[in-house]
Amino acid sequence: MAVTTDSGTGTGPGTGDIPKVISVDDHVIEPAHLFETWLPAKYRDRGPKPLTAGIGDLAYVGGKYRFTTDPEGQLTDWWEYEGELFPYKRIIAAVGFSRDEMTLDGITREQMRRGCWDPKARIEDMEMNHVEASLCFPTFPRFCGQTFAEAKDKEVGLACVRAYNDWMVEEWCGDSGGRLIPLCLIPLWDIELAVAEIRRNAERGVRAVTFSEIPTYLGLPSIHSGYWDPFFAACQETGTVVNMHIGSSSQMPAASPDAPPAVQASLSFNNAMASMMDFLFSGVLVKFPRLKLAYSEGQMGWIPYALERADDVWEEHRAWGGVKDLIPEPPSTYYYRQIFCCFFRDKHGIEAIETVGVDNATFETDYPHVDSTWPHTKKVAEEHVAGLADDVIYKLMRGNAIRMLDLDFDR
C-alpha cells in the first residue's frame, strides 16, 4: 500500500545483522464479527454466521478434512454458510502450543493466541518475532476464496468477497501503518467481476490478490485457455501481484488416498511446481511481461532442477511439445523476470540461491500455522543465511518483498 512507515530495520544491510523480515505468507483467523459488520444488511441473513459448538470426529483423508459434529464434543468455533459448517482447527492456530499439541482438534478464538485474529495483537507478535510487515492469506474463505466460489447463491457470494476485502483493507490492515499488507480475493466464477474487483482494490492501494495454483482442480478454466487473460491484464496494469498458496487448488498431492497427512505435508511443494510449469509453458508471461507471480509456502529447493528441466524440454522438445511458436525464449527467462518464490525452512534452496535467484526469493513465517517459525524467526533465518553476503541477506529477508509488492519501506 502507499503508506510510508518507519523501516525498523535496525542497522540495516551491510552490517552482518539480519534485517527485520517482511513475511509474504502468513494467515489470519477471521473475527466473528466480520460479516455482521461488513456484509450489507440485505445479505446478512444468507451470509456466513459464526457459532460455537462441540465437534466430533475429525480426520484428514486424501488431502481433505472430514468431520462430524457432536453436542458433547470439544468446544469449537465454526462458520455456518449455506447449510455447511466450517470448523477452526488447532493446526491453523498453532502458535503458542507445543508440537505435540498441534493436532486436528477443534479450537475457539478464546483458546487461540490473540494475534491470530486481532490486528493489534498480531503486530505485537510480529515485534516479538523480528517481523516488520506481513501479508496474510484467508482461512474460512480458504486460500483463494473457494468457499464463496462454491456457493449456490452467487449474489451473496460476491457480496461476501467484497465484504472480506473491505474488512481486510480497512480493519485488518487499516490502522497498522502499512505493517499489515492487504491481500484480497476475487469472485473466481466471473471474469468480468474479478477484473472489477482488482480495479476497485487497486484504487485504494492494494497490490496483492490471491489466486488458485491450479484453477482446473476447482472446475474453472485453465490458464492456457485465454479465459483469465483479462484478469492477468488488470493485474499487470495495476501492479497487482498474483499470489498462489499451496492448497489453493483445494487439494494436496498424495501418493495414496489413504496416506497419512505427513505424506501430503512432505509433498506440498508439488502443486507449486506443477503450477509454475503451467505458467512457464502457457505463454501468459510472454503476453504479460510485467505480470508478477508469487508462490507461497512452496519452498524453493526444487526450483533449480525444475528450471533446468523446463529449459531442456524447450530446447529439445519444443516442436512436438507444442510451444515452438508460443515461448520464444527459454522458460527460465520468464521465471527470473516475473516469478517470486518464498521459503522459511529450506537450506538446500539456500545452497542453490544463485540458481533459485537472489532477486526471486522471499521469506515467510507462516504465522499462526503449525509450520510457523514464530517466535524464533530471527534464529531460523540466521541459521539459513549464515555466510551469505549482506546484500543478498537483505534481499531475501525484505528487499525482494518490498520490490515485489511495491512497498514504501526502505529500499
Side-chain angles (χ1 to χ4, degrees):
M1 291 183 72
V3 178
T4 301
T5 74
D6 178 6
S7 69
T9 56
T11 52
T15 65
D17 292 340
I18 299 290
K20 268 195 169 180
V21 168
I22 294 179
S23 174
V24 300
D25 173 33
D26 294 315
H27 302 267
V28 61
I29 304 296
E30 296 79 17
H33 69 262
L34 192 160
F35 295 100
E36 181 181 356
T37 301
W38 293 97
L39 195 63
K42 66 178 181 178
Y43 297 120
R44 285 178 196 158
D45 62 334
R46 292 179 286 161
K49 297 177 181 62
L51 72 150
T52 303
I55 193 169
D57 295 329
L58 182 64
Y60 191 61
V61 180
K64 295 185 179 182
Y65 291 106
R66 299 285 184 264
F67 61 87
T68 60
T69 57
D70 182 354
E72 304 300 320
Q74 180 176 340
L75 211 58
T76 299
D77 277 344
W78 311 65
W79 289 99
E80 185 279 324
Y81 181 46
E82 290 197 335
E84 300 289 334
L85 291 174
F86 303 82
Y88 284 124
K89 300 165 285 292
R90 189 176 291 186
I91 61 167
I92 63 170
V95 291
F97 292 97
S98 71
R99 286 291 166 191
D100 290 336
E101 294 175 312
M102 296 179 183
T103 65
L104 290 170
D105 292 343
I107 191 172
T108 65
R109 291 180 185 83
E110 185 177 354
Q111 295 167 327
M112 299 175 190
R113 191 169 180 85
R114 190 177 180 91
C116 293
W117 51 269
D118 179 277
K120 290 184 173 57
R122 174 63 66 93
I123 289 177
E124 291 173 1
D125 279 357
M126 289 160 56
E127 281 295 307
M128 294 174 58
N129 200 34
H130 201 64
V131 173
E132 182 171 13
S134 169
L135 184 79
C136 292
F137 283 83
T139 301
F140 160 63
R142 292 159 41 214
F143 291 143
C144 67
Q146 300 103 299
T147 297
F148 303 130
E150 293 169 1
K152 300 178 184 69
D153 189 331
K154 289 301 191 288
E155 181 182 358
V156 177
L158 175 61
C160 288
V161 167
R162 290 173 174 167
Y164 178 91
N165 290 342
D166 291 344
W167 165 81
M168 167 62 63
V169 174
E170 298 181 36
E171 183 177 325
W172 178 253
C173 300
D175 293 331
S176 71
R179 296 188 65 180
L180 295 174
I181 305 161
L183 175 65
C184 287
L185 306 175
I186 56 168
L188 290 161
W189 61 92
D190 188 305
I191 190 66
E192 292 182 2
L193 293 175
V195 168
E197 192 63 12
I198 289 293
R199 297 191 186 284
R200 183 177 83 95
N201 292 313
E203 287 175 359
R204 49 184 174 174
V206 176
R207 294 295 178 266
V209 64
T210 179
F211 186 63
S212 176
E213 60 199 353
I214 308 175
T216 54
Y217 285 2
L218 304 180
L220 298 168
S222 83
I223 63 166
H224 302 275
S225 67
Y227 173 83
W228 297 103
D229 283 4
F231 166 70
F232 296 136
C235 289
Q236 174 175 265
E237 179 186 336
T238 59
T240 300
V241 182
V242 178
N243 296 263
M244 293 171 285
H245 196 284
I246 57 167
S248 56
S249 55
S250 291
Q251 59 182 280
M252 297 291 282
S256 306
D258 56 348
V263 174
Q264 284 96 25
S266 299
L267 293 174
S268 60
F269 70 92
N270 277 10
N271 282 1
M273 182 165 59
S275 176
M276 193 176 82
M277 288 298 185
D278 239 9
F279 271 99
L280 290 179
F281 286 110
S282 68
V284 168
L285 300 179
V286 178
K287 191 181 300 183
F288 303 104
R290 298 187 312 281
L291 179 68
K292 291 183 283 189
L293 307 180
Y295 284 99
S296 305
E297 208 171 319
Q299 306 296 342
M300 61 185 187
W302 52 271
I303 289 177
Y305 175 70
L307 294 178
E308 178 183 347
R309 178 59 180 165
D311 283 357
D312 186 61
V313 167
W314 179 86
E315 183 68 37
E316 305 294 339
H317 308 287
R318 60 179 177 266
W320 74 265
V323 294
K324 178 172 65 73
D325 299 319
L326 186 63
I327 311 298
E329 298 180 74
S332 63
T333 305
Y334 309 102
Y335 165 82
Y336 289 118
R337 188 176 74 186
Q338 295 175 251
I339 297 179
F340 294 84
C341 58
C342 72
F343 74 101
F344 56 102
R345 290 191 185 93
D346 191 341
K347 293 183 179 180
H348 184 71
I350 286 292
E351 290 174 359
I353 193 62
E354 292 295 331
T355 306
V356 169
V358 295
D359 295 316
N360 300 82
T362 58
F363 200 72
E364 61 166 296
T365 78
D366 199 30
Y367 182 110
H369 282 189
V370 66
D371 251 337
S372 180
T373 54
W374 185 92
H376 307 296
T377 291
K378 185 177 182 182
K379 181 176 183 292
V380 171
E382 287 174 337
E383 291 173 351
H384 273 70
V385 303
L388 294 181
D390 286 351
D391 63 327
V392 173
I393 294 173
Y394 178 81
K395 288 181 178 183
L396 301 182
M397 293 296 104
R398 60 186 289 115
N400 290 338
I402 290 170
R403 181 170 52 86
M404 179 179 91
L405 294 163
D406 193 25
L407 301 175
D408 284 338
F409 291 91
D410 59 290
R411 295 177 184 266

